[in-house]
Amino acid sequence: MKQILLLVTTLFVSLGASAADLQQGRAKANACAVCHGQNGLASHPEAPNLAGQPIIYVTQQLKNYKTGRRTNEIMSVIAKPLSEQDIDDLALWYSSMQVEVKMAN
């Protein structure tokens, strides 16, 4: 099921102006790791977890920060120089991560 979701996500992104690149997203995410964690699980208390987030969510939020529709002291500065390709690559990378939820006993 996860592989089907990744395939559909990849196809969805491919319909845009340019196809997202998973490995490029991984490389670009190194800059995000300071707050959002190397594995997409936030290490900064005010940063959200990005691992497993839907591609459309990550894409829209990065675009909102880039345009100023959404503001945050750090993200507004970081998102400004991102290209559409950067955003697509990052969104594909984070959406490709699998997150497992376990219930506490």
Side-chain angles (χ1 to χ4, degrees):
M1 184 64 168
K2 297 274 186 187
Q3 290 145 341
I4 293 171
L5 181 58
L6 181 58
L7 177 61
V8 170
T9 299
T10 303
L11 290 173
F12 174 76
V13 172
S14 302
L15 296 175
S18 59
D21 184 306
L22 188 65
Q23 293 309 312
Q24 286 296 315
R26 181 180 191 171
K28 293 169 185 175
N30 283 329
C32 309
V34 173
C35 295
H36 297 285
Q38 193 65 37
N39 59 359
L41 300 175
S43 54
H44 188 278
E46 294 181 19
N49 294 328
L50 297 179
Q53 291 290 349
I55 196 165
I56 198 162
Y57 173 79
V58 177
T59 300
Q60 191 59 54
Q61 296 315 309
L62 286 173
K63 287 181 179 181
N64 287 344
Y65 284 124
K66 181 179 176 70
T67 63
R69 185 171 185 195
R70 184 172 180 184
T71 60
N72 172 275
E73 188 175 340
I74 296 168
M75 283 305 301
S76 296
V77 172
I78 290 172
K80 213 43 106 205
L82 294 177
S83 68
E84 292 291 319
Q85 184 69 52
D86 294 335
I87 290 171
D88 290 348
D89 293 345
L90 287 164
L92 180 61
W93 170 246
Y94 284 114
S95 71
S96 74
M97 295 178 166
Q98 296 182 9
V99 178
E100 184 177 333
V101 177
K102 293 184 180 182
M103 298 296 289
N105 292 332

